[in-house]
Every structure is written in C-alpha cells, then in structure tokens.
Amino acid sequence: MWGAFKGLLSLDPELARWVLAAEDICFRNPIFSYIFRSGKCIPITRGGGIYQEHMNESLQRLKDGSWLHTFPEGKVFQEDVPIRRLKWGTASLIARSPVTPIVLPIIHRGFEEMMPENYLNGRRPLVPLCNKELKVVVGKPIEFNVPMMVETAVLDSRHVTAPLQESKWPILTSAGQELDETAQRCLYVALSEKIQSSLETLRLLAKRL
C-alpha cells in the first residue's frame, strides 16, 4: 500500500510505521514471527480485548511519538459496503495515550481485485495480481477534544444501567478524570463513531475518483 505514495518508501527503519498485526496470521510460527517483528509489527490477539499485553507496547510507541498504524475494523472486508462498526482498540489507544495522537484516516480500494479473498477455492493468490488499479485516499487529520469527550462520557454513563457482573476493566484515568467500565464504553463509542464517520466519507470519495 505504501508503494502507491511517491517518495514515502524509505530504507531507514526509524521512519517506518509500527502496525498492529493479527497474532494468528502473522505470528503463527517462529519464521513468521521473526519476519513480522523485524517489520515493526506488534502482535494482537483477536478477541483478546483492549487491555491485552501488547496494547501496552502500542501505547509506549505513541508515547515515543512513533507512527502507529491500526486497522480499526479488526477484520478484512472486501465488500463494497458502508464502514462497519469499529472495534474499540484504536479508540482505547487514543483515550489512554498520555498525549492525544494525530489520527490520519486512510481508505484504500483495489485490494479486493489485487488480493481477492476467494480467488482459488476460498484462498488468496500467492502473490498480488498484476494490472490492477489501487487507490489510496488520505483524509485530513481527525481532531479529538478528549477532555470534553471524557466529561460527556462520564455524564452519559450515569444514565446507563451498569452490567450485573463485576467489572474486569481497570479504572482509566484520562484527562484528569477516573472512568469506570461503563464510562469507558461510552467514551470508546464516541471516539469510534467519529473515526467511522471520517472513514465512510473517504470511502464514498474513493468511489467517485
């Protein structure tokens, strides 16, 4: 994908992005683990929740000011449909980061033809198919007023019935306020919906280009 950007590729590993990668795909054996770890991939267990071990590593990268790439849908979707509800991993990183990161939305079209999921008996081709058009659309940075969103989430959570079972989430301190699990859920929904709206706008733009 980054090859579509003229002048972006660099041999300097310090300039390369970090990226969250599915553990069951990219880290399924020692060879894959070495390759993807060398490529600055952070293993994420799908279904492991937003407080799994390697999310702390992701937070450290943000704290260091590094470029962290995420796939907020958490799954490969090649259908031409509106952006689905996002997973909360990206939202939790924004809320938990000591410095609110700059969020740059990106949409791509063409991988469904270049690397179709159901190419041969339900499997992808071994290598990308040639003579396919790839579009990569980058939107404007999304601005988040996290202190205001935290305050709204705390107020909204007071009108939400808390789950009967004991909370397994730790208390989150964000923007000087403590958020229990219910307040965190309200915050992550608000953050995710803002990202989802931006991505959907880019998706529609990419269709017209």
Side-chain angles (χ1 to χ4, degrees), residues 4-64:
F5 290 91
K6 184 179 180 180
L8 181 63
L9 293 181
S10 171
L11 297 179
D12 185 352
E14 293 299 320
L15 299 179
R17 89 288 174 265
W18 288 90
V19 62
L20 306 187
E23 187 176 41
D24 59 319
I25 296 177
C26 300
F27 296 86
R28 58 189 179 188
N29 60 55
I31 295 177
F32 276 29
S33 296
Y34 176 79
I35 293 173
F36 283 100
R37 258 309 193 180
S38 299
K40 301 178 74 170
C41 295
I42 300 174
I44 293 296
T45 303
R46 290 191 282 193
I50 60 176
Y51 284 105
Q52 58 182 283
E53 176 185 358
H54 288 291
M55 290 294 278
N56 292 328
E57 180 182 349
S58 304
L59 281 171
Q60 184 60 49
R61 301 307 172 192
L62 291 177
K63 184 178 180 180
D64 295 340

Side-chain angles (χ1 to χ4, degrees), residues 121-173:
N121 299 321
R123 300 177 69 88
R124 302 173 188 160
L126 294 177
V127 295
L129 303 180
C130 298
N131 299 319
K132 304 297 181 181
E133 183 180 46
L134 175 63
K135 300 176 183 177
V136 182
V137 183
V138 182
K140 295 181 179 179
I142 307 174
E143 296 183 1
F144 296 95
N145 188 334
V146 174
M148 181 179 292
M149 297 181 78
V150 166
E151 184 175 345
T152 301
V154 171
L155 292 175
D156 290 345
S157 68
R158 296 171 183 172
H159 305 287
V160 177
T161 303
L164 296 178
Q165 66 270 25
E166 184 179 354
S167 173
K168 296 182 180 180
W169 288 9
I171 295 295
L172 170 66
T173 300

Side-chain angles (χ1 to χ4, degrees), residues 39-106:
K40 301 178 74 170
C41 295
I42 300 174
I44 293 296
T45 303
R46 290 191 282 193
I50 60 176
Y51 284 105
Q52 58 182 283
E53 176 185 358
H54 288 291
M55 290 294 278
N56 292 328
E57 180 182 349
S58 304
L59 281 171
Q60 184 60 49
R61 301 307 172 192
L62 291 177
K63 184 178 180 180
D64 295 340
S66 299
W67 170 13
L68 179 66
H69 188 88
T70 72
F71 297 89
E73 288 184 283
K75 188 178 181 180
V76 174
F77 289 111
Q78 295 195 339
E79 302 87 353
D80 186 13
V81 296
I83 300 295
R84 293 169 169 82
R85 184 185 72 82
L86 305 183
K87 303 293 185 181
W88 288 348
T90 300
S92 73
L93 289 173
I94 296 171
R96 296 164 61 193
S97 178
V99 178
T100 303
I102 298 172
V103 178
L104 198 64
I106 300 174

